[in-house]
Amino acid sequence: MYCPECKTEWQQSMTNCPVCSHELSGATGSEWTLLGSVSDKMSADFARETLLSYEIPAVVISKSGFFGQAGLTFNNFYQPGSGLFEISIPSEHVPEATEVMNMVLGDRWQKGTD
């Protein structure tokens, strides 16, 4: 299940989203899937905004840094190199979103595993 506000995954036993504190009672919605990842925050933000302009909901989660998957938008600070930013969307939008990502990022993004 995902938070209806920020789309962060949560467990059935939780009452509030761990990222945005939105109340989770009765939360339902589309199943979300990992579309892919990019190595820098600017590309992740650009991809998210472009997907939103095509009316495709998108969430970016940073997998970088000491805290791992915390929903933070930080670049990797404990080792040299790029970070990793995952872009998730509702499953029903994968074909269209893949085309958008190819158009705007080309080979600068890596498609998620199916």
Side-chain angles (χ1 to χ4, degrees):
M1 298 287 297
Y2 290 84
C3 171
E5 184 68 25
C6 71
K7 310 303 184 227
T8 302
E9 188 172 4
W10 56 277
Q11 299 172 6
Q12 294 287 347
S13 61
M14 298 178 75
T15 57
N16 291 82
C17 176
V19 173
C20 71
S21 299
H22 188 80
E23 187 176 329
L24 299 174
S25 62
T28 60
S30 300
E31 182 175 325
W32 285 65
T33 188
L34 173 64
L35 178 63
S37 60
V38 296
S39 62
D40 63 277
K41 184 177 181 322
M42 183 181 290
S43 293
D45 290 342
F46 180 64
R48 180 179 178 275
E49 292 302 318
T50 303
L51 290 167
L52 290 174
S53 75
Y54 279 85
E55 298 183 3
I56 300 171
V59 173
V60 174
I61 301 287
S62 173
K63 299 288 275 187
S64 304
F66 180 76
F67 298 106
Q69 183 174 349
L72 304 174
T73 57
F74 302 133
N75 282 316
N76 197 345
F77 61 85
Y78 66 94
Q79 67 184 11
S82 298
L84 178 65
F85 298 86
E86 293 183 342
I87 303 164
S88 296
I89 60 165
S91 298
E92 64 267 17
H93 294 288
V94 169
E96 181 184 6
T98 299
E99 288 181 28
V100 170
M101 292 288 285
N102 286 332
M103 179 179 64
V104 298
L105 293 179
D107 61 356
R108 293 187 327 233
W109 78 290
Q110 182 175 359
K111 189 174 193 276
T113 58
D114 295 322

